[in-house]
Amino acid sequence: MVVKTAFRVIEIVELFAREKQPLALSEMARLLEMPVSSCLGLIRTLEEQGYMYETGRRQGYYPTGRLLAMAQVIAAHDPVLDRARPALEELRDGARETVLFGKFRDPSTVVYLEVLSAPQSIRYSAESGETRPAYANSMGRALLSTLAPEARRKLLAATPLAALTDATLTTPDAIEQELERSPARGWYGNLGESIPDLVGLAWPLRIGGEAYAISVAGPRYRLEPRIDEVAAMLRSACLAIEHKG
């Protein structure tokens, strides 16, 4: 169930993140495809609460710093990320590739909870909050491995397994076989299945009984020759987080 008003407020925040400039009321309403009157009501409420201000008469609206301040306070007190972040940073620095941390949003979809970008100009880029289909994602496969076999088979049978690239595995049997191979080799992978030149390695972990996963992703030419080395770092990071009190 989507609560329409809450959804619209999120859309407004994402709109400013995308446009990166003040927007007139009519322009916001057009871009959000909503009536001007409805848009005005939301903007007035955000303005009254200190989250939005008018940059000048008829010059448009823009979010205030209160939104950032609240987000920083929330992020600083996230108990899961607070526990995981030191190991994630160490993994990013050691692998020199983008490190992602996430969990299931639902059994067929992965949500990225944290993204630490690689310290290199050519790198895999993503943002916290983005989602990916689990079947063609290294983190998704690591998380799929934590499900009971029968539940996983039913899920894969009910999920549209579209080919994202020529390498994408698109049958439940092929994905099951890939999952069976993964523990022995020490990593769950995505070798060009979502983006042709991208490699992703992942491993699952549990925090407070909940399943999470960490992934290391980067250009194929750079990461594929280091798979065993990076996979060992990845598993160590997962163990460090699980054992952290």
Side-chain angles (χ1 to χ4, degrees):
M1 182 182 69
V2 174
V3 178
K4 190 171 182 180
T5 301
F7 180 69
R8 285 303 198 183
V9 171
I10 293 169
E11 280 191 315
I12 288 173
V13 173
E14 292 181 343
L15 175 64
F16 281 101
R18 186 170 66 249
E19 297 297 321
K20 303 179 182 68
Q21 63 180 347
L23 295 170
L25 177 63
S26 58
E27 182 69 358
M28 275 189 277
R30 183 185 69 80
L31 291 170
L32 294 170
E33 298 181 348
M34 73 165 71
V36 171
S37 58
S38 299
C39 189
L40 177 61
L42 290 172
I43 292 301
R44 286 282 185 251
T45 300
L46 290 169
E47 189 177 25
E48 289 171 5
Q49 296 300 314
Y51 289 98
M52 195 78 64
Y53 77 104
E54 193 170 10
T55 59
R57 185 167 179 79
R58 300 185 183 280
Q59 292 179 17
Y61 294 86
Y62 201 74
T64 69
R66 187 176 187 188
L67 191 63
L68 174 61
M70 290 293 180
Q72 288 174 330
V73 170
I74 292 168
H77 293 82
D78 184 320
V80 173
L81 289 182
D82 185 57
R83 174 172 173 169
R85 191 170 285 112
L88 296 176
E89 291 175 348
E90 184 176 347
L91 176 59
R92 186 268 318 276
D93 295 343
R96 295 185 60 78
E97 299 292 353
T98 297
V99 170
L100 307 102
F101 175 71
K103 65 176 301 186
F104 279 133
R105 186 190 68 181
D106 57 65
S108 65
T109 308
V110 173
V111 59
Y112 295 155
L113 302 177
E114 180 71 300
V115 179
L116 302 181
S117 295
Q120 309 195 56
S121 56
I122 299 175
R123 60 179 181 259
Y124 175 61
S125 296
E127 294 183 2
S128 299
E130 289 187 9
T131 60
R132 297 289 187 274
Y135 75 94
N137 179 274
S138 62
M139 186 184 296
R141 288 186 178 161
L143 290 165
L144 285 170
S145 76
T146 69
L147 300 179
E150 185 60 29
R152 184 171 64 241
R153 282 192 289 270
K154 288 182 180 179
L155 173 65
L156 291 173
T159 300
L161 305 176
L164 306 179
T165 73
D166 292 341
T168 309
L169 301 181
T170 57
T171 67
D173 285 347
I175 294 170
E176 283 287 352
Q177 290 171 12
E178 175 67 11
L179 293 177
E180 289 173 6
R181 287 192 292 266
S182 298
R185 72 187 179 195
W187 50 272
Y188 293 83
N190 167 10
L191 306 183
E193 294 186 54
S194 56
I195 300 172
D197 297 322
L198 177 73
V199 164
L201 312 176
W203 198 251
L205 69 154
R206 288 194 177 272
I207 301 174
E210 284 287 309
Y212 294 83
I214 300 173
S215 175
V216 179
R220 190 164 193 161
Y221 75 89
R222 201 166 62 209
L223 186 51
E224 197 164 28
R226 303 175 59 214
I227 281 183
D228 291 339
E229 173 195 357
V230 173
M233 297 181 195
L234 173 61
R235 294 192 304 272
S236 294
C238 290
L239 283 173
I241 295 169
E242 284 185 323
H243 294 164
K244 185 173 182 179

